[in-house]
Amino acid sequence: MAVQPPPADQRIVIENVAIATVDANDTEYARGHVVVLGNKIESVGNGPAPQWLDNVVRRINGEGHLVTPGLVNTHHHFYQWITRGLAQDNILFDWLVALYPTWARIDDKLVHAAAQGSTAALLKSGCTTASDHHYVFPKDGGDILGAEIEAVQELGMRFTALRGSMDRSKKDGGLPPDHAVEKTEDILIASEAAVDKYHDASFDSMLQIAIAPCSPFSVSTELMREAAVLARRKGVRLHTHGSETAEEEQFCKELFGMGPTDYFESTGWLGEDVWMAHCVHMNDSDIAKFAETGTGVAHCPSSNARLAAGIARVPDMLRAGVPVGLGVDGTASNESGELGTELRNALLINRLHGRPDALTARSSLRLGTMGGARVLGRQNEIGSIEVGKLADLALWKIDGIMHSSIADPVAALTLGALPPLALLLVNGNAVVEKGNLTTVNEDKIAQACARAAKELASREV
């Protein structure tokens, strides 16, 4: 059952707390307050909150804590929660070939369990909004998209569900096995039906839909073009994988006679309503085209490292004006499943370019908040702590042994170990308290995921 919004007239007050608003001016308060009214931020500022406020259901003393916007995850594959720890030493193409046969045997019940595991890991690491790219729909798999959405709603996370797809199998020169793909016409019908059934474009929407063919090496050019037309007709966003590996670039040149970015441009896949996952192998011309068109990037530092894909040119993208957010990616290539730890990994990995200021503590936090909000097209609603925005907030405990001697509260979050999560509000609701989920039993989720992983493994032939 979906978590319901709080009463519109109730208030939650957090005060005596360090605040990183991540607004346009990077406003911070060493000792300030945030007031939540219903599901929106009513006020934020220096010093204590007013004492005369009515209907305050919680007044939290934030001494020794940092409050930030909730983190925003721009790329994931929730179903992979039940295939973690496999193909540990492979590059992307070999990893996919090894795992496609297993993934082709999933169904709605297994996906429900996996989605709850993935969502739990995200929430417990400070993530309040996530997108998930699901592209495997076996013929007898049941209502997989519906099962995933139900799983997320039960935990209370804000969600963009991506109706993914594959129609280019081995026989057509792609990577997926023949039984793992769908027909192009069926994909377009199912994608439009998903938008019609689930997409909520309202300001405080908890569920949106985007259309997301999987990748150039698993999708036909016809599907890419028709998906772009469909998404723009329905007013929803577009997502796919792009420029993830050197092998992908070579694949595109051999099959299409051009690199990934030029291919995307030729199929109508550059624009402010589009974002790509990874974008590791981008030259200056590619970055310029993304900047000119407002095409976004989901930067997945841990997954890129796990699959030896390379280091994305994030500092160059940011300087050019490309919208960039953070992504966990699927947990078969990032077993932790945490978004909070990506703040530190992004900062450190991007400094391997040899520039100590490639990313800073604050630019890394911006990637994980406002950057992600912009990539998902929700920068007016989430991503910063500002009056009128939605009450998606993370309260981090930074006065414990691991953080108390770090001089800068933001550095405690982005350079130190991931701090304990004291409270996570999504839409004004407390979904994590003292590191624990409030809406579901974590032990039951863990047990269900273990059973699902064993069941899926037993289905292999």
Side-chain angles (χ1 to χ4, degrees), residues 336-373:
S336 85
E338 296 180 325
L339 184 58
T341 51
E342 296 303 305
L343 298 173
R344 183 173 188 267
N345 291 348
L347 192 160
L348 297 180
I349 286 174
N350 280 281
R351 289 189 179 187
L352 293 175
H353 288 291
R355 300 196 295 256
D357 61 347
L359 284 184
T360 67
R362 282 155 181 80
S363 60
S364 178
L365 178 59
R366 180 169 289 276
L367 281 182
T369 53
M370 269 302 289

PDB file of all heavy atoms in Angstrom, residues 336-373:
ATOM      1  N   SER A 336      26.882  -2.475  -3.550  1.00  0.00           N
ATOM      2  CA  SER A 336      26.450  -1.765  -2.342  1.00  0.00           C
ATOM      3  C   SER A 336      25.022  -1.242  -2.474  1.00  0.00           C
ATOM      4  O   SER A 336      24.271  -1.231  -1.505  1.00  0.00           O
ATOM      5  CB  SER A 336      27.391  -0.602  -2.017  1.00  0.00           C
ATOM      6  OG  SER A 336      27.045   0.563  -2.727  1.00  0.00           O
ATOM      7  N   GLY A 337      24.669  -0.779  -3.653  1.00  0.00           N
ATOM      8  CA  GLY A 337      23.323  -0.250  -3.859  1.00  0.00           C
ATOM      9  C   GLY A 337      23.049   1.076  -3.186  1.00  0.00           C
ATOM     10  O   GLY A 337      21.921   1.558  -3.195  1.00  0.00           O
ATOM     11  N   GLU A 338      24.065   1.710  -2.615  1.00  0.00           N
ATOM     12  CA  GLU A 338      23.877   2.963  -1.878  1.00  0.00           C
ATOM     13  C   GLU A 338      24.160   4.160  -2.781  1.00  0.00           C
ATOM     14  O   GLU A 338      25.146   4.173  -3.506  1.00  0.00           O
ATOM     15  CB  GLU A 338      24.828   3.022  -0.685  1.00  0.00           C
ATOM     16  CG  GLU A 338      24.590   1.956   0.363  1.00  0.00           C
ATOM     17  CD  GLU A 338      25.570   2.070   1.514  1.00  0.00           C
ATOM     18  OE1 GLU A 338      26.748   2.437   1.272  1.00  0.00           O
ATOM     19  OE2 GLU A 338      25.164   1.808   2.654  1.00  0.00           O
ATOM     20  N   LEU A 339      23.322   5.175  -2.674  1.00  0.00           N
ATOM     21  CA  LEU A 339      23.612   6.408  -3.394  1.00  0.00           C
ATOM     22  C   LEU A 339      24.510   7.321  -2.573  1.00  0.00           C
ATOM     23  O   LEU A 339      25.358   8.032  -3.116  1.00  0.00           O
ATOM     24  CB  LEU A 339      22.324   7.144  -3.768  1.00  0.00           C
ATOM     25  CG  LEU A 339      22.517   8.396  -4.619  1.00  0.00           C
ATOM     26  CD1 LEU A 339      23.241   8.083  -5.921  1.00  0.00           C
ATOM     27  CD2 LEU A 339      21.199   9.089  -4.901  1.00  0.00           C
ATOM     28  N   GLY A 340      24.345   7.303  -1.245  1.00  0.00           N
ATOM     29  CA  GLY A 340      25.146   8.187  -0.405  1.00  0.00           C
ATOM     30  C   GLY A 340      26.636   8.020  -0.608  1.00  0.00           C
ATOM     31  O   GLY A 340      27.389   9.000  -0.624  1.00  0.00           O
ATOM     32  N   THR A 341      27.091   6.800  -0.785  1.00  0.00           N
ATOM     33  CA  THR A 341      28.524   6.560  -0.959  1.00  0.00           C
ATOM     34  C   THR A 341      29.033   7.044  -2.313  1.00  0.00           C
ATOM     35  O   THR A 341      30.244   7.236  -2.493  1.00  0.00           O
ATOM     36  CB  THR A 341      28.854   5.072  -0.788  1.00  0.00           C
ATOM     37  OG1 THR A 341      27.976   4.300  -1.620  1.00  0.00           O
ATOM     38  CG2 THR A 341      28.667   4.630   0.652  1.00  0.00           C
ATOM     39  N   GLU A 342      28.129   7.259  -3.264  1.00  0.00           N
ATOM     40  CA  GLU A 342      28.554   7.770  -4.571  1.00  0.00           C
ATOM     41  C   GLU A 342      29.034   9.214  -4.484  1.00  0.00           C
ATOM     42  O   GLU A 342      29.798   9.673  -5.351  1.00  0.00           O
ATOM     43  CB  GLU A 342      27.421   7.656  -5.592  1.00  0.00           C
ATOM     44  CG  GLU A 342      26.981   6.228  -5.903  1.00  0.00           C
ATOM     45  CD  GLU A 342      28.117   5.358  -6.399  1.00  0.00           C
ATOM     46  OE1 GLU A 342      28.781   5.726  -7.384  1.00  0.00           O
ATOM     47  OE2 GLU A 342      28.347   4.294  -5.781  1.00  0.00           O
ATOM     48  N   LEU A 343      28.609   9.959  -3.471  1.00  0.00           N
ATOM     49  CA  LEU A 343      29.095  11.331  -3.304  1.00  0.00           C
ATOM     50  C   LEU A 343      30.616  11.330  -3.165  1.00  0.00           C
ATOM     51  O   LEU A 343      31.328  12.099  -3.824  1.00  0.00           O
ATOM     52  CB  LEU A 343      28.468  11.970  -2.068  1.00  0.00           C
ATOM     53  CG  LEU A 343      26.949  12.131  -2.038  1.00  0.00           C
ATOM     54  CD1 LEU A 343      26.503  12.617  -0.669  1.00  0.00           C
ATOM     55  CD2 LEU A 343      26.491  13.088  -3.125  1.00  0.00           C
ATOM     56  N   ARG A 344      31.121  10.463  -2.282  1.00  0.00           N
ATOM     57  CA  ARG A 344      32.559  10.390  -2.047  1.00  0.00           C
ATOM     58  C   ARG A 344      33.281   9.763  -3.241  1.00  0.00           C
ATOM     59  O   ARG A 344      34.345  10.243  -3.664  1.00  0.00           O
ATOM     60  CB  ARG A 344      32.829   9.577  -0.779  1.00  0.00           C
ATOM     61  CG  ARG A 344      34.296   9.488  -0.377  1.00  0.00           C
ATOM     62  CD  ARG A 344      34.435   8.804   0.995  1.00  0.00           C
ATOM     63  NE  ARG A 344      35.795   8.874   1.497  1.00  0.00           N
ATOM     64  CZ  ARG A 344      36.719   7.930   1.311  1.00  0.00           C
ATOM     65  NH1 ARG A 344      36.415   6.841   0.620  1.00  0.00           N
ATOM     66  NH2 ARG A 344      37.930   8.067   1.812  1.00  0.00           N
ATOM     67  N   ASN A 345      32.705   8.695  -3.779  1.00  0.00           N
ATOM     68  CA  ASN A 345      33.361   8.028  -4.902  1.00  0.00           C
ATOM     69  C   ASN A 345      33.472   8.946  -6.115  1.00  0.00           C
ATOM     70  O   ASN A 345      34.493   8.953  -6.805  1.00  0.00           O
ATOM     71  CB  ASN A 345      32.606   6.751  -5.264  1.00  0.00           C
ATOM     72  CG  ASN A 345      32.739   5.693  -4.197  1.00  0.00           C
ATOM     73  OD1 ASN A 345      33.556   5.816  -3.294  1.00  0.00           O
ATOM     74  ND2 ASN A 345      31.927   4.650  -4.277  1.00  0.00           N
ATOM     75  N   ALA A 346      32.430   9.714  -6.385  1.00  0.00           N
ATOM     76  CA  ALA A 346      32.480  10.650  -7.515  1.00  0.00           C
ATOM     77  C   ALA A 346      33.575  11.687  -7.304  1.00  0.00           C
ATOM     78  O   ALA A 346      34.353  11.995  -8.219  1.00  0.00           O
ATOM     79  CB  ALA A 346      31.132  11.343  -7.683  1.00  0.00           C
ATOM     80  N   LEU A 347      33.658  12.226  -6.095  1.00  0.00           N
ATOM     81  CA  LEU A 347      34.662  13.243  -5.795  1.00  0.00           C
ATOM     82  C   LEU A 347      36.073  12.690  -5.986  1.00  0.00           C
ATOM     83  O   LEU A 347      36.912  13.294  -6.666  1.00  0.00           O
ATOM     84  CB  LEU A 347      34.452  13.737  -4.364  1.00  0.00           C
ATOM     85  CG  LEU A 347      35.200  14.985  -3.904  1.00  0.00           C
ATOM     86  CD1 LEU A 347      34.514  15.588  -2.689  1.00  0.00           C
ATOM     87  CD2 LEU A 347      36.645  14.692  -3.560  1.00  0.00           C
ATOM     88  N   LEU A 348      36.333  11.530  -5.422  1.00  0.00           N
ATOM     89  CA  LEU A 348      37.689  10.969  -5.471  1.00  0.00           C
ATOM     90  C   LEU A 348      38.061  10.499  -6.866  1.00  0.00           C
ATOM     91  O   LEU A 348      39.172  10.767  -7.358  1.00  0.00           O
ATOM     92  CB  LEU A 348      37.801   9.813  -4.478  1.00  0.00           C
ATOM     93  CG  LEU A 348      37.609  10.179  -2.998  1.00  0.00           C
ATOM     94  CD1 LEU A 348      37.756   8.929  -2.138  1.00  0.00           C
ATOM     95  CD2 LEU A 348      38.590  11.256  -2.561  1.00  0.00           C
ATOM     96  N   ILE A 349      37.169   9.788  -7.527  1.00  0.00           N
ATOM     97  CA  ILE A 349      37.493   9.253  -8.847  1.00  0.00           C
ATOM     98  C   ILE A 349      37.750  10.369  -9.846  1.00  0.00           C
ATOM     99  O   ILE A 349      38.663  10.284 -10.673  1.00  0.00           O
ATOM    100  CB  ILE A 349      36.370   8.307  -9.336  1.00  0.00           C
ATOM    101  CG1 ILE A 349      36.442   6.981  -8.554  1.00  0.00           C
ATOM    102  CG2 ILE A 349      36.469   8.053 -10.836  1.00  0.00           C
ATOM    103  CD1 ILE A 349      35.307   6.018  -8.850  1.00  0.00           C
ATOM    104  N   ASN A 350      36.978  11.440  -9.780  1.00  0.00           N
ATOM    105  CA  ASN A 350      37.176  12.520 -10.743  1.00  0.00           C
ATOM    106  C   ASN A 350      38.470  13.291 -10.493  1.00  0.00           C
ATOM    107  O   ASN A 350      38.993  13.920 -11.404  1.00  0.00           O
ATOM    108  CB  ASN A 350      35.958  13.446 -10.749  1.00  0.00           C
ATOM    109  CG  ASN A 350      34.828  12.866 -11.573  1.00  0.00           C
ATOM    110  OD1 ASN A 350      34.846  12.944 -12.791  1.00  0.00           O
ATOM    111  ND2 ASN A 350      33.863  12.252 -10.903  1.00  0.00           N
ATOM    112  N   ARG A 351      39.005  13.222  -9.279  1.00  0.00           N
ATOM    113  CA  ARG A 351      40.308  13.843  -9.029  1.00  0.00           C
ATOM    114  C   ARG A 351      41.454  13.020  -9.613  1.00  0.00           C
ATOM    115  O   ARG A 351      42.580  13.508  -9.705  1.00  0.00           O
ATOM    116  CB  ARG A 351      40.506  14.064  -7.528  1.00  0.00           C
ATOM    117  CG  ARG A 351      39.609  15.164  -6.987  1.00  0.00           C
ATOM    118  CD  ARG A 351      39.946  15.550  -5.565  1.00  0.00           C
ATOM    119  NE  ARG A 351      39.071  16.620  -5.107  1.00  0.00           N
ATOM    120  CZ  ARG A 351      39.220  17.256  -3.938  1.00  0.00           C
ATOM    121  NH1 ARG A 351      40.225  16.927  -3.127  1.00  0.00           N
ATOM    122  NH2 ARG A 351      38.392  18.210  -3.587  1.00  0.00           N
ATOM    123  N   LEU A 352      41.179  11.797 -10.039  1.00  0.00           N
ATOM    124  CA  LEU A 352      42.208  10.996 -10.699  1.00  0.00           C
ATOM    125  C   LEU A 352      42.596  11.568 -12.058  1.00  0.00           C
ATOM    126  O   LEU A 352      43.578  11.144 -12.652  1.00  0.00           O
ATOM    127  CB  LEU A 352      41.743   9.546 -10.846  1.00  0.00           C
ATOM    128  CG  LEU A 352      41.586   8.771  -9.530  1.00  0.00           C
ATOM    129  CD1 LEU A 352      41.014   7.380  -9.792  1.00  0.00           C
ATOM    130  CD2 LEU A 352      42.922   8.658  -8.810  1.00  0.00           C
ATOM    131  N   HIS A 353      41.822  12.527 -12.544  1.00  0.00           N
ATOM    132  CA  HIS A 353      42.235  13.250 -13.751  1.00  0.00           C
ATOM    133  C   HIS A 353      43.493  14.067 -13.493  1.00  0.00           C
ATOM    134  O   HIS A 353      44.101  14.585 -14.424  1.00  0.00           O
ATOM    135  CB  HIS A 353      41.111  14.196 -14.208  1.00  0.00           C
ATOM    136  CG  HIS A 353      39.918  13.510 -14.799  1.00  0.00           C
ATOM    137  ND1 HIS A 353      39.951  12.857 -16.006  1.00  0.00           N
ATOM    138  CD2 HIS A 353      38.635  13.388 -14.352  1.00  0.00           C
ATOM    139  CE1 HIS A 353      38.751  12.361 -16.284  1.00  0.00           C
ATOM    140  NE2 HIS A 353      37.935  12.673 -15.299  1.00  0.00           N
ATOM    141  N   GLY A 354      43.860  14.223 -12.208  1.00  0.00           N
ATOM    142  CA  GLY A 354      45.048  14.984 -11.870  1.00  0.00           C
ATOM    143  C   GLY A 354      44.767  16.399 -11.432  1.00  0.00           C
ATOM    144  O   GLY A 354      45.691  17.201 -11.268  1.00  0.00           O
ATOM    145  N   ARG A 355      43.469  16.716 -11.221  1.00  0.00           N
ATOM    146  CA  ARG A 355      43.090  18.065 -10.791  1.00  0.00           C
ATOM    147  C   ARG A 355      42.472  17.975  -9.399  1.00  0.00           C
ATOM    148  O   ARG A 355      41.388  17.406  -9.231  1.00  0.00           O
ATOM    149  CB  ARG A 355      42.107  18.688 -11.781  1.00  0.00           C
ATOM    150  CG  ARG A 355      42.654  18.815 -13.198  1.00  0.00           C
ATOM    151  CD  ARG A 355      41.821  19.762 -14.036  1.00  0.00           C
ATOM    152  NE  ARG A 355      40.475  19.281 -14.267  1.00  0.00           N
ATOM    153  CZ  ARG A 355      40.055  18.765 -15.418  1.00  0.00           C
ATOM    154  NH1 ARG A 355      40.896  18.638 -16.426  1.00  0.00           N
ATOM    155  NH2 ARG A 355      38.807  18.385 -15.561  1.00  0.00           N
ATOM    156  N   PRO A 356      43.107  18.562  -8.378  1.00  0.00           N
ATOM    157  CA  PRO A 356      42.573  18.449  -7.026  1.00  0.00           C
ATOM    158  C   PRO A 356      41.239  19.156  -6.828  1.00  0.00           C
ATOM    159  O   PRO A 356      40.525  18.868  -5.872  1.00  0.00           O
ATOM    160  CB  PRO A 356      43.668  19.086  -6.155  1.00  0.00           C
ATOM    161  CG  PRO A 356      44.420  19.974  -7.071  1.00  0.00           C
ATOM    162  CD  PRO A 356      44.384  19.301  -8.405  1.00  0.00           C
ATOM    163  N   ASP A 357      40.897  20.075  -7.736  1.00  0.00           N
ATOM    164  CA  ASP A 357      39.620  20.772  -7.641  1.00  0.00           C
ATOM    165  C   ASP A 357      38.628  20.285  -8.699  1.00  0.00           C
ATOM    166  O   ASP A 357      37.635  20.966  -8.988  1.00  0.00           O
ATOM    167  CB  ASP A 357      39.821  22.280  -7.781  1.00  0.00           C
ATOM    168  CG  ASP A 357      40.441  22.655  -9.136  1.00  0.00           C
ATOM    169  OD1 ASP A 357      40.937  21.754  -9.838  1.00  0.00           O
ATOM    170  OD2 ASP A 357      40.428  23.853  -9.471  1.00  0.00           O
ATOM    171  N   ALA A 358      38.897  19.105  -9.278  1.00  0.00           N
ATOM    172  CA  ALA A 358      38.005  18.583 -10.317  1.00  0.00           C
ATOM    173  C   ALA A 358      36.574  18.528  -9.805  1.00  0.00           C
ATOM    174  O   ALA A 358      35.635  18.969 -10.482  1.00  0.00           O
ATOM    175  CB  ALA A 358      38.472  17.198 -10.747  1.00  0.00           C
ATOM    176  N   LEU A 359      36.380  17.972  -8.632  1.00  0.00           N
ATOM    177  CA  LEU A 359      35.127  18.074  -7.889  1.00  0.00           C
ATOM    178  C   LEU A 359      35.481  18.464  -6.465  1.00  0.00           C
ATOM    179  O   LEU A 359      36.472  17.989  -5.915  1.00  0.00           O
ATOM    180  CB  LEU A 359      34.350  16.755  -7.886  1.00  0.00           C
ATOM    181  CG  LEU A 359      33.590  16.345  -9.141  1.00  0.00           C
ATOM    182  CD1 LEU A 359      32.815  15.068  -8.872  1.00  0.00           C
ATOM    183  CD2 LEU A 359      32.638  17.433  -9.618  1.00  0.00           C
ATOM    184  N   THR A 360      34.645  19.293  -5.862  1.00  0.00           N
ATOM    185  CA  THR A 360      34.830  19.690  -4.474  1.00  0.00           C
ATOM    186  C   THR A 360      33.769  19.009  -3.618  1.00  0.00           C
ATOM    187  O   THR A 360      32.846  18.363  -4.136  1.00  0.00           O
ATOM    188  CB  THR A 360      34.707  21.209  -4.318  1.00  0.00           C
ATOM    189  OG1 THR A 360      33.344  21.589  -4.603  1.00  0.00           O
ATOM    190  CG2 THR A 360      35.651  21.935  -5.262  1.00  0.00           C
ATOM    191  N   ALA A 361      33.889  19.185  -2.306  1.00  0.00           N
ATOM    192  CA  ALA A 361      32.884  18.615  -1.409  1.00  0.00           C
ATOM    193  C   ALA A 361      31.492  19.109  -1.769  1.00  0.00           C
ATOM    194  O   ALA A 361      30.516  18.343  -1.768  1.00  0.00           O
ATOM    195  CB  ALA A 361      33.216  18.970   0.043  1.00  0.00           C
ATOM    196  N   ARG A 362      31.385  20.373  -2.134  1.00  0.00           N
ATOM    197  CA  ARG A 362      30.068  20.939  -2.423  1.00  0.00           C
ATOM    198  C   ARG A 362      29.585  20.633  -3.844  1.00  0.00           C
ATOM    199  O   ARG A 362      28.388  20.436  -4.057  1.00  0.00           O
ATOM    200  CB  ARG A 362      30.093  22.450  -2.150  1.00  0.00           C
ATOM    201  CG  ARG A 362      29.992  22.718  -0.660  1.00  0.00           C
ATOM    202  CD  ARG A 362      30.583  24.020  -0.198  1.00  0.00           C
ATOM    203  NE  ARG A 362      30.425  24.112   1.265  1.00  0.00           N
ATOM    204  CZ  ARG A 362      31.238  23.487   2.133  1.00  0.00           C
ATOM    205  NH1 ARG A 362      32.273  22.768   1.702  1.00  0.00           N
ATOM    206  NH2 ARG A 362      31.024  23.591   3.433  1.00  0.00           N
ATOM    207  N   SER A 363      30.490  20.579  -4.794  1.00  0.00           N
ATOM    208  CA  SER A 363      30.040  20.222  -6.148  1.00  0.00           C
ATOM    209  C   SER A 363      29.613  18.765  -6.209  1.00  0.00           C
ATOM    210  O   SER A 363      28.710  18.405  -6.965  1.00  0.00           O
ATOM    211  CB  SER A 363      31.122  20.528  -7.183  1.00  0.00           C
ATOM    212  OG  SER A 363      32.318  19.817  -6.938  1.00  0.00           O
ATOM    213  N   SER A 364      30.228  17.920  -5.385  1.00  0.00           N
ATOM    214  CA  SER A 364      29.796  16.524  -5.318  1.00  0.00           C
ATOM    215  C   SER A 364      28.399  16.426  -4.721  1.00  0.00           C
ATOM    216  O   SER A 364      27.541  15.688  -5.228  1.00  0.00           O
ATOM    217  CB  SER A 364      30.789  15.712  -4.485  1.00  0.00           C
ATOM    218  OG  SER A 364      30.354  14.377  -4.365  1.00  0.00           O
ATOM    219  N   LEU A 365      28.143  17.183  -3.644  1.00  0.00           N
ATOM    220  CA  LEU A 365      26.795  17.196  -3.063  1.00  0.00           C
ATOM    221  C   LEU A 365      25.781  17.726  -4.063  1.00  0.00           C
ATOM    222  O   LEU A 365      24.663  17.205  -4.168  1.00  0.00           O
ATOM    223  CB  LEU A 365      26.787  18.044  -1.790  1.00  0.00           C
ATOM    224  CG  LEU A 365      25.424  18.197  -1.098  1.00  0.00           C
ATOM    225  CD1 LEU A 365      24.844  16.840  -0.697  1.00  0.00           C
ATOM    226  CD2 LEU A 365      25.541  19.117   0.109  1.00  0.00           C
ATOM    227  N   ARG A 366      26.168  18.734  -4.837  1.00  0.00           N
ATOM    228  CA  ARG A 366      25.252  19.274  -5.847  1.00  0.00           C
ATOM    229  C   ARG A 366      24.940  18.224  -6.916  1.00  0.00           C
ATOM    230  O   ARG A 366      23.783  18.120  -7.369  1.00  0.00           O
ATOM    231  CB  ARG A 366      25.847  20.541  -6.479  1.00  0.00           C
ATOM    232  CG  ARG A 366      24.967  21.186  -7.546  1.00  0.00           C
ATOM    233  CD  ARG A 366      25.467  22.563  -7.939  1.00  0.00           C
ATOM    234  NE  ARG A 366      25.255  23.522  -6.869  1.00  0.00           N
ATOM    235  CZ  ARG A 366      24.112  24.174  -6.660  1.00  0.00           C
ATOM    236  NH1 ARG A 366      23.072  23.962  -7.462  1.00  0.00           N
ATOM    237  NH2 ARG A 366      24.006  25.038  -5.671  1.00  0.00           N
ATOM    238  N   LEU A 367      25.933  17.453  -7.338  1.00  0.00           N
ATOM    239  CA  LEU A 367      25.659  16.374  -8.291  1.00  0.00           C
ATOM    240  C   LEU A 367      24.570  15.451  -7.763  1.00  0.00           C
ATOM    241  O   LEU A 367      23.674  15.039  -8.506  1.00  0.00           O
ATOM    242  CB  LEU A 367      26.918  15.546  -8.534  1.00  0.00           C
ATOM    243  CG  LEU A 367      27.998  16.048  -9.476  1.00  0.00           C
ATOM    244  CD1 LEU A 367      29.102  15.004  -9.576  1.00  0.00           C
ATOM    245  CD2 LEU A 367      27.449  16.366 -10.847  1.00  0.00           C
ATOM    246  N   GLY A 368      24.664  15.110  -6.467  1.00  0.00           N
ATOM    247  CA  GLY A 368      23.740  14.137  -5.887  1.00  0.00           C
ATOM    248  C   GLY A 368      22.392  14.699  -5.514  1.00  0.00           C
ATOM    249  O   GLY A 368      21.511  13.934  -5.094  1.00  0.00           O
ATOM    250  N   THR A 369      22.190  16.010  -5.667  1.00  0.00           N
ATOM    251  CA  THR A 369      20.922  16.633  -5.283  1.00  0.00           C
ATOM    252  C   THR A 369      20.340  17.435  -6.448  1.00  0.00           C
ATOM    253  O   THR A 369      19.599  16.898  -7.260  1.00  0.00           O
ATOM    254  CB  THR A 369      21.135  17.507  -4.028  1.00  0.00           C
ATOM    255  OG1 THR A 369      22.221  18.422  -4.253  1.00  0.00           O
ATOM    256  CG2 THR A 369      21.452  16.633  -2.823  1.00  0.00           C
ATOM    257  N   MET A 370      20.729  18.708  -6.565  1.00  0.00           N
ATOM    258  CA  MET A 370      20.182  19.537  -7.642  1.00  0.00           C
ATOM    259  C   MET A 370      20.573  19.037  -9.015  1.00  0.00           C
ATOM    260  O   MET A 370      19.806  19.167  -9.981  1.00  0.00           O
ATOM    261  CB  MET A 370      20.635  20.979  -7.463  1.00  0.00           C
ATOM    262  CG  MET A 370      19.676  21.816  -6.629  1.00  0.00           C
ATOM    263  SD  MET A 370      17.994  21.897  -7.280  1.00  0.00           S
ATOM    264  CE  MET A 370      18.226  22.915  -8.723  1.00  0.00           C
ATOM    265  N   GLY A 371      21.781  18.476  -9.141  1.00  0.00           N
ATOM    266  CA  GLY A 371      22.178  17.924 -10.435  1.00  0.00           C
ATOM    267  C   GLY A 371      21.231  16.829 -10.881  1.00  0.00           C
ATOM    268  O   GLY A 371      20.750  16.818 -12.021  1.00  0.00           O
ATOM    269  N   GLY A 372      20.946  15.910  -9.975  1.00  0.00           N
ATOM    270  CA  GLY A 372      20.017  14.833 -10.296  1.00  0.00           C
ATOM    271  C   GLY A 372      18.611  15.330 -10.545  1.00  0.00           C
ATOM    272  O   GLY A 372      17.912  14.840 -11.446  1.00  0.00           O
ATOM    273  N   ALA A 373      18.167  16.313  -9.754  1.00  0.00           N
ATOM    274  CA  ALA A 373      16.830  16.870  -9.959  1.00  0.00           C
ATOM    275  C   ALA A 373      16.697  17.472 -11.349  1.00  0.00           C
ATOM    276  O   ALA A 373      15.673  17.301 -12.032  1.00  0.00           O
ATOM    277  CB  ALA A 373      16.547  17.915  -8.886  1.00  0.00           C
TER     278      ALA A 373
END
